[in-house]
């Protein structure tokens, strides 16, 4: 049942993104910013954590989950270190994910030799 809930919630997020891509003139980068910001806002209002408990990877893998992780890291750092936590909490909480994305992206670029579209 966990897989079904993850599939449904992740699918709903993907449907929303697809609608934004097809029905608006928003560029993909702006849509990604909207997703991360939405995750931050939903996390700040306490809405995203119950969604994560319900859907698991269906809520943590999309970019909204990245925004939620940023929020949780910033909140924890602000609680522990005060104002300076605002600047370092997000980096601390997301360091492993961002680092692995860079490393594996680099490895993939070596293996598949991407070409620029012209």
């Amino acid at each position: 049942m966990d897989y079904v809930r993850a599939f449904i919630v992740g699918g709903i997020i993907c449907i929303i993104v697809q609608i934004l891509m097809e029905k608006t003139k928003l560029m993909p980068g702006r849509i990604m910013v909207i997703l991360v910001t939405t995750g931050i806002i939903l996390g700040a209002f306490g809405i995203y954590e119950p969604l994560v408990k319900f859907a698991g990877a269906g809520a943590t893998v999309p970019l909204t989950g990245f925004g939620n992780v940023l929020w949780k890291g910033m909140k924890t750092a602000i609680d522990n270190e005060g104002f300076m936590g605002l600047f370092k909490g997000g980096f601390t909480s997301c360091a492993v994910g961002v680092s692995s994305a860079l490393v594996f992206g680099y490895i993939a670029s070596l293996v598949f030799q991407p070409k620029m579209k012209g």
Side-chain angles (χ1 to χ4, degrees):
M1 197 61 183
D2 291 339
Y3 296 115
V4 174
R5 288 192 302 252
F7 179 79
I8 290 170
V9 171
I12 289 170
I13 293 170
C14 290
I15 288 169
I16 293 168
V17 170
Q18 194 66 38
I19 290 169
L20 285 173
M21 289 174 65
E22 290 183 13
K23 301 296 182 186
T24 68
K25 294 184 180 186
L26 292 172
M27 300 298 290
R30 291 181 190 234
I31 293 172
M32 291 189 324
V33 169
I34 288 170
L35 288 170
V36 173
T37 305
T38 301
I40 291 169
I41 292 168
L42 292 176
F45 285 112
I47 298 169
Y48 209 80
E49 198 58 38
L51 185 63
V52 168
K53 288 181 180 168
F54 174 76
T60 58
V61 172
L63 283 174
T64 50
F66 179 70
N68 186 49
V69 169
L70 279 172
W71 161 252
K72 288 193 313 190
M74 285 174 38
K75 183 179 181 322
T76 302
I78 290 169
D79 290 345
N80 293 337
E81 301 174 31
F83 182 72
M84 290 306 289
L86 180 67
F87 300 104
K88 89 181 212 187
F91 292 118
T92 305
S93 66
C94 296
V96 173
V98 172
S99 298
S100 63
L102 289 171
V103 169
F104 289 117
Y106 179 72
I107 292 170
S109 74
L110 292 176
V111 171
F112 296 105
Q113 300 175 358
K115 296 178 178 52
M116 296 295 290
K117 292 182 180 181

